[in-house]
Amino acid sequence: MRILGIETSCDETAASVVRDGRVIESSVVASQADLHRRFGGVVPELASRKHIERLLPVIDEALEKAGVTLRDLDALSVTCGPGLVGALAVGVAAAKSLALSLDLPLVGVNHLEGHIYAAFLTEPDLAFPALALVVSGAHTDLVAVSDHAQYRTLGRTRDDAAGEAFDKVARAMGLGYPGGPEIDRLARTGDPRTVPLPAPMPFRRRSGRIDDSLEFSFSGIKTAALRALHAAARADGQFKADLAAGFQRVVVDVLVDKSMRAAQSLGVKTVMLVGGVAANTWLRAEMQRACAAAGCRLVVPPPSLCSDNAAMIAAAAFYRLRRGGGSDLGLGASSDLSLEQTPNNSLA
Amino acid sequence: MPEVPGPRPEPRAGNISQVRIDTSSPEQTEALGRRLGQLLQAGDIVALSGDLGAGKTVLARGIAEGAGAAGYIASPTFTFIRAYRGAVTVYHVDLYRLDRPQQLEDLGLDELLDGTGLVVLEWAEKAGPLLPAEHLWITIRFRNGDDTRTLEFLPRGPRYTDVVQTVARECASSR
């Protein structure tokens, strides 16, 4: 079964052709910088207008790279939430039009579910039950995945997402955008013990009492890092490297601690680390170490499948269709769609 | 990032409508937001300003909760707009990532601002001319302590003046 996936929930316009939920025949992602280069210096507008301009060329390119035409497709899939409604609506309208004109099944996919299925593109025989940490610029969600399309959100961020905190701290330090990779790089030459920062909602409190909350909060650590930066007598290169290392370490520690605590309480042996921040090398290494110690198998997609892409959407759709799910042409975009809700998806 | 010109609070001599309230923890800031949210209604606009980490999202969460919004309230930085449904629909908007004024148009901010929801706008200085003349402007400033903040309320319009006076009176009598 060959599925076209479409993703327009935030900044990226993406299309991909995936066969049987595991073979990526093409995956095209147009970001703002990319578009600037490829389409002749046109400065794209934000969100919907930008997606409208890009989507059809991106779909054409995905089909061409896969060496197929629209007639070779068996289904259409699209991110229907959560995200910016105006942006999501562009992808949803395109997918619905194609499904109607080609008379093919349509599957609306939750963006977070898409990130989780990036792990299935990496490891198709991934065993249930599993735990997923979805960590990106917009999300920090711990999710129990008991079976295909069976989700329970265990904890989310109360304020900033982990990736958002990385970007804001990086921007304040004068590093490039996106800030996550910059902090990752800079932290390698820093000493994490030089600039003391408070742990963000650690599950083991200073009093020794265990905080069993699986919620996250990264706003406080962001503010503490910014204050340390502004208070520094000399914010030179080494100071910034130390701050980057210290900041990264406390964020990664709490992500790993809470993931392992959740895995242990659920008794799961498979952990998926997905979303844009899963590309962070320190997070990957620490999660790998913790999983190995706990006897868990860690599945982390390659960086190209961690950041927003459409292959993950087509993969999620494959498993929904295989179980008799799908959406009708009444599918709409929803800004605050939770994993537990699946609009217009009749799961058999 | 180039600064987008926008309305700024202009402290005027004898401006009795401007009010300052100090808070000493994020919890206090959130509680103040909740009280404010109870006094606000659909169609109202709250414009928040303040440096990174000042507590705009904390205050916004309080306001949304106070207004009776349902759902999970968190930072909208990456998705620009979060909508919380409930007794009142609260649109939680964050313009942090905008760097050009024309992007506002694409975001559909004008539609939200003359709509039927309560709009809470973070990084409101970037809204420029799109911000309606009547609104409640709140600037959050750092003080010396890690968790201490000063909230400066600048109501634009009689309705917001009443709301701010009510909150100020309550804060004064509880001390």
Side-chain angles (χ1 to χ4, degrees):
Chain A
M1 176 178 279
R2 183 175 278 123
I3 302 180
L4 176 71
I6 295 172
E7 152 70 42
T8 61
S9 68
C10 199
D11 294 350
E12 268 71 48
T13 312
S16 168
V17 178
V18 175
R19 195 155 43 80
D20 299 331
R22 59 175 73 188
V23 183
I24 303 173
E25 296 187 321
S26 69
S27 179
V28 179
V29 180
S31 65
Q32 193 142 351
D34 215 28
L35 190 84
H36 195 61
R37 187 165 47 77
R38 287 195 301 161
F39 298 134
V42 181
V43 177
E45 290 310 317
L46 188 84
S48 27
R49 192 187 301 169
K50 187 174 68 179
H51 288 300
I52 290 170
E53 284 170 8
R54 289 180 193 169
L55 186 54
L56 295 181
V58 164
I59 290 174
D60 283 345
E61 191 176 333
L63 293 169
E64 196 182 315
K65 279 192 171 159
V68 299
T69 68
L70 287 172
R71 293 182 201 291
D72 299 312
L73 299 176
D74 299 301
L76 280 306
S77 63
V78 63
T79 307
C80 58
L84 185 63
V85 167
L88 289 163
V90 175
V92 170
K96 278 158 68 169
S97 311
L98 286 170
L100 179 67
S101 58
L102 299 167
D103 194 23
L104 290 176
L106 170 71
V107 187
V109 174
N110 183 305
H111 182 74
L112 295 171
E113 177 177 37
H115 276 304
I116 291 170
Y117 274 86
F120 286 84
L121 281 168
T122 312
E123 183 64 64
D125 301 314
L126 196 149
F128 294 110
L131 175 81
L133 173 65
V134 186
V135 60
S136 68
H139 304 280
T140 312
D141 288 34
L142 265 177
V143 184
V145 188
S146 55
D147 198 347
H148 284 296
Q150 300 297 310
Y151 311 108
R152 189 159 57 89
T153 303
L154 305 170
R156 303 194 264 189
T157 179
R158 291 183 180 175
D159 37 57
D160 295 13
E164 175 184 345
F166 266 99
D167 279 327
K168 286 181 170 171
V169 169
R171 189 140 152 182
M173 285 203 281
L175 305 176
Y177 183 90
E182 295 293 325
I183 290 200
D184 194 356
R185 199 170 304 128
L186 194 57
R188 284 175 210 157
T189 58
D191 179 347
R193 291 159 305 183
T194 309
V195 187
L197 294 169
M201 291 185 71
F203 80 85
R204 208 174 283 282
R205 289 192 172 149
R206 260 168 297 180
S207 62
R209 194 169 72 83
I210 288 179
D211 167 12
D212 58 5
S213 164
L214 293 174
E215 306 249 287
F216 296 100
S217 168
F218 295 104
S219 174
I221 178 71
K222 168 195 71 184
T223 307
L226 295 174
R227 289 187 85 110
L229 179 68
H230 296 143
R234 220 181 48 206
D236 57 9
Q238 189 55 50
F239 176 84
K240 286 183 180 175
D242 292 345
L243 181 62
F247 170 77
Q248 177 172 273
R249 183 150 98 172
V250 289
V251 171
V252 165
D253 279 356
V254 78
L255 289 172
V256 172
D257 282 352
K258 293 203 176 188
S259 298
M260 297 324 294
R261 186 171 158 74
Q264 199 174 22
S265 72
L266 292 170
V268 305
K269 289 290 167 201
T270 308
V271 175
M272 302 177 242
L273 173 59
V274 297
V277 179
N280 180 279
T281 56
W282 184 251
L283 176 58
R284 291 168 91 99
E286 286 297 289
M287 195 69 96
Q288 183 59 60
R289 195 184 51 74
C291 281
C296 291
R297 179 174 170 70
L298 177 67
V299 182
V300 196
S304 62
L305 291 176
C306 286
S307 50
D308 287 356
N309 65 88
M312 66 187 198
I313 302 303
F318 170 77
Y319 292 94
R320 280 209 176 263
L321 278 175
R322 205 177 61 171
R323 294 164 58 90
S327 312
D328 59 36
L329 290 172
L331 180 72
S334 171
S335 66
D336 53 356
L337 190 67
S338 80
L339 264 176
E340 285 84 354
Q341 309 161 306
T342 312
N344 298 323
N345 274 24
S346 48
L347 240 189
Chain B
M1 175 174 41
E3 277 286 306
V4 180
R8 292 195 177 272
E10 302 144 45
R12 289 192 304 258
N15 182 351
I16 52 154
S17 60
Q18 184 170 340
V19 165
R20 283 197 175 82
I21 298 174
D22 291 343
T23 62
S24 55
S25 67
E27 291 72 22
Q28 265 190 19
T29 303
E30 192 171 331
L32 183 59
R34 266 198 299 276
R35 181 61 190 129
L36 207 52
Q38 289 167 356
L39 297 168
L40 293 168
Q41 60 193 38
D44 284 347
I45 297 159
V46 182
L48 303 182
S49 177
D51 286 340
L52 270 181
K56 295 180 294 300
T57 300
V58 168
L59 185 67
R61 180 169 51 227
I63 292 172
E65 283 172 4
Y72 202 83
I73 301 162
S75 169
T77 292
F78 265 72
T79 49
F80 300 101
I81 300 169
R82 281 180 193 262
Y84 314 120
R85 319 277 165 191
V88 176
T89 298
V90 177
Y91 294 104
H92 185 185
V93 187
D94 187 334
L95 305 182
Y96 173 77
R97 294 205 301 140
L98 290 198
D99 48 21
R100 289 192 315 281
Q102 68 263 34
Q103 293 174 323
L104 286 164
E105 200 183 307
D106 298 324
L107 202 54
L109 185 65
D110 48 342
E111 288 166 37
L112 294 187
L113 290 172
D114 58 16
T116 52
L118 165 59
V119 178
V120 183
L121 199 55
E122 298 194 35
W123 298 95
E125 54 272 28
K126 296 191 182 193
L130 278 188
L131 189 67
E134 296 213 354
H135 59 261
L136 172 55
W137 188 281
I138 306 174
T139 303
I140 310 179
R141 299 188 197 284
F142 287 91
R143 282 190 286 140
N144 288 337
D146 277 353
D147 288 333
T148 53
R149 303 285 189 273
T150 296
L151 282 75
E152 219 172 76
F153 294 78
L154 191 66
R156 296 287 197 197
R159 191 182 135 56
Y160 298 107
T161 305
D162 288 349
V163 168
V164 170
Q165 293 303 327
T166 302
V167 171
R169 215 169 29 240
E170 289 174 3
C171 283
S173 64
S174 68
R175 275 170 198 189

